Amino acid sequence: QKEVEQNSGPLSVPEGAIASLNCTYSDRGSQSFFWYRQYSGKSPELIMFIYSNGDKEDGRFTAQLNKASQYVSLLIRDSQPSDSATYLCAVASGGSYIPTFGRGTSLIVHP
Amino acid sequence: NAGVTQTPKFQVLKTGQSMTLQCAQDMNHNSMYWYRQDPGMGLRLIYYSASEGTTDKGEVPNGYNVSRLNKREFSLRLESAAPSQTSVYFCASKSGLGTNEQFFGPGTRLTVL
């Protein structure tokens, strides 16, 4: 059973701070790693993906992957109230790329 | 370009009733998926279709059937609805090339009484 674990939160950070979201996975053969943002009552939308060890930056978002330790993280710099949402980590392996989702971490950015 | 569309948006059923959830995508994607999401849970895969003409079971297929009608459409059928199937259902598609990003539809909120 492939497992993807996330702290459910809520993670509360002040506006302008760095929010750090973490995810661990069980399948060492995992190859693709995704972060989705889901606002309440809405569908998930992809914000970051990463395939290789190290950091990947896109605007205020940075994804970090450490395959040896089997974790992937998402950093959000200069957090804004509009970043308040649930963040889902998804991990996929094999040629079919069927992702397994974590339960999500709720992020609250307060003014 | 509407992306992934789902109908209906909301539905209330009585135990034992049947219904079909419709999903369509206009992005010429090969793969399509059906997920359910329950409070505090992540997305759990019900069925998927890697390409037109193929379907496979996911993590939680019991009580559901699917049809990949053509490349655009992938429907999910509940033959005899149960209260345990109360959930939000999301359809998603993926091109099969490039980033492997899944695009999600707006969801169907289903309540089974």
Side-chain angles (χ1 to χ4, degrees):
Chain A
Q1 179 87 2
K2 298 175 184 176
E3 294 182 346
V4 177
E5 299 288 342
Q6 295 181 258
N7 189 322
S8 62
L11 173 65
S12 182
V13 301
E15 184 174 356
I18 296 175
S20 178
L21 305 163
N22 300 311
C23 170
T24 60
Y25 59 93
S26 63
D27 183 4
R28 284 197 169 272
S30 299
Q31 299 172 349
S32 307
F33 306 85
F34 307 89
W35 283 100
Y36 286 83
R37 178 176 62 199
Q38 186 176 24
Y39 292 115
S40 181
K42 302 296 185 181
S43 57
E45 58 176 330
L46 183 74
I47 54 171
M48 288 289 287
F49 63 90
I50 187 167
Y51 299 149
S52 303
N53 271 334
D55 295 359
K56 179 181 178 182
E57 186 174 321
D58 184 2
R60 296 187 297 114
F61 299 98
T62 299
Q64 299 176 317
L65 175 60
N66 184 323
K67 288 187 177 182
S69 299
Q70 294 177 246
Y71 82 79
V72 56
S73 61
L74 178 70
L75 301 178
I76 306 175
R77 290 182 300 281
D78 189 23
S79 295
Q80 301 297 310
S82 59
D83 294 325
S84 299
T86 296
Y87 289 79
L88 300 170
C89 174
V91 176
S93 57
S96 63
Y97 289 99
I98 304 296
T100 299
F101 284 83
R103 296 188 178 193
T105 297
S106 174
L107 173 66
I108 299 172
V109 181
H110 53 87
Chain B
N1 193 337
V4 181
T5 57
Q6 292 182 236
T7 56
K9 286 186 168 51
F10 301 93
Q11 184 71 49
V12 178
L13 294 177
K14 294 180 180 179
T15 297
Q17 288 185 315
S18 62
M19 77 162 296
T20 299
L21 281 65
Q22 307 286 354
C23 173
Q25 52 90 11
D26 61 2
M27 297 175 282
N28 200 35
H29 284 172
N30 291 319
S31 303
M32 299 185 73
Y33 309 79
W34 276 106
Y35 292 92
R36 62 177 288 173
Q37 187 175 39
D38 302 297
M41 303 289 287
L43 293 159
R44 290 186 292 171
L45 184 64
I46 304 171
Y47 271 94
Y48 68 98
S49 172
S51 60
E52 186 179 357
T54 68
T55 60
D56 286 286
K57 295 178 179 179
E59 179 187 357
V60 288
N62 291 345
Y64 306 95
N65 285 300
V66 291
S67 296
R68 182 75 182 264
L69 304 171
N70 47 56
K71 192 171 186 178
R72 290 187 63 249
E73 298 172 288
F74 189 38
S75 63
L76 179 71
R77 183 160 177 84
L78 287 71
E79 290 291 351
S80 178
S84 61
Q85 294 178 305
T86 294
S87 189
V88 180
Y89 291 85
F90 289 103
C91 177
S93 70
K94 180 170 76 67
S95 71
L97 302 172
T99 68
N100 289 309
E101 174 184 1
Q102 286 181 311
F103 293 84
F104 286 84
T108 295
R109 293 184 177 275
L110 174 67
T111 300
V112 183
L113 302 175

